[in-house]
């Protein structure tokens, strides 16, 4: 094998590894998204909406918005979701807003989850703020 052929083979192998790595990362973020939606459904979150952000924001690839019936349920859903994400191997999720639990943010990296009490969700109306032209938010499973 000539030096040029060897360099070309190494470049091809490197490109192949990069493509495989990107495919694995893409699969992982979709697995995380599915895990989040499933856990929210299991915990009886209400009005689950998923907004795809990939290519539109560097914040995350998905934003999920859901409601709980009370501050106690919102807090419980957030804590259980963070625990489930960590145990599934997606790393620790950060939680903000837990003491009041009117609006709790769970940052799981590629998926950001906003959990609200219904009155607070109506007031902030994140679905309208984050919906983009030509793309409506997608309803979740609940």
């Amino acid at each position: 094998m000539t030096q040029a052929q060897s360099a070309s083979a190494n470049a091809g192998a490197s490109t192949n590894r990069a493509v495989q790595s990107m495919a694995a990362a893409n699969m992982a973020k979709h697995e995380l998204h599915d895990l989040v939606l499933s856990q929210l459904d299991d915990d009886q979150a209400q009005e689950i909406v998923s907004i795809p952000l990939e290519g539109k924001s560097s914040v995350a690839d998905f934003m999920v918005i859901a409601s709980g019936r009370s501050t106690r349920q919102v807090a419980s859903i957030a804590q259980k979701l963070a625990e489930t994400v960590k145990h599934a191997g997606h790393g620790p999720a950060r939680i903000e807003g837990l003491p009041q639990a009117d609006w709790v943010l769970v940052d799981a990296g590629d998926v950001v989850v906003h959990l609200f009490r219904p009155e607070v969700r109506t007031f902030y109306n994140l679905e309208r703020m984050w919906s983009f032209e030509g793309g409506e938010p997608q309803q979740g499973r609940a």
Side-chain angles (χ1 to χ4, degrees):
M1 186 182 271
T2 67
Q3 197 173 22
Q5 288 173 328
S6 177
S8 177
N10 287 341
S14 177
T15 301
N16 192 25
R17 282 191 299 272
V19 167
Q20 288 174 344
S21 177
M22 287 185 345
N26 192 33
M27 188 183 323
K29 69 182 162 193
H30 285 285
E31 285 175 9
L32 175 60
H33 181 246
D34 291 343
L35 176 69
V36 165
L37 292 178
S38 177
Q39 186 61 50
L40 290 173
D41 188 43
D42 289 350
D43 289 339
Q44 299 178 358
Q46 299 176 332
E47 299 180 48
I48 302 169
V49 174
S50 178
I51 302 172
L53 299 177
E54 192 170 14
K56 299 172 183 150
S57 174
S58 61
V59 172
D61 291 320
F62 296 98
M63 178 184 296
V64 177
I65 304 169
S67 298
R69 293 181 297 277
S70 66
T71 56
R72 180 175 282 180
Q73 187 189 24
V74 169
S76 175
I77 290 171
Q79 289 172 326
K80 182 98 183 268
L81 181 60
E83 186 177 301
T84 300
V85 166
K86 183 177 179 179
H87 288 298
H90 295 282
R94 293 189 51 214
I95 302 175
E96 299 288 333
L98 206 50
Q100 296 79 20
D102 286 329
W103 176 1
V104 177
L105 174 76
V106 180
D107 183 352
D110 291 325
V111 180
V112 174
V113 182
H114 295 272
L115 299 167
F116 291 98
R117 279 189 315 102
E119 307 81 37
V120 178
R121 182 176 180 170
T122 301
F123 180 78
Y124 287 103
N125 199 4
L126 288 185
E127 292 95 329
R128 193 184 84 214
M129 184 186 325
W130 279 93
S131 62
F132 298 95
E133 336 71 54
E136 284 297 311
Q138 302 167 358
Q139 291 296 324
R141 298 178 192 177

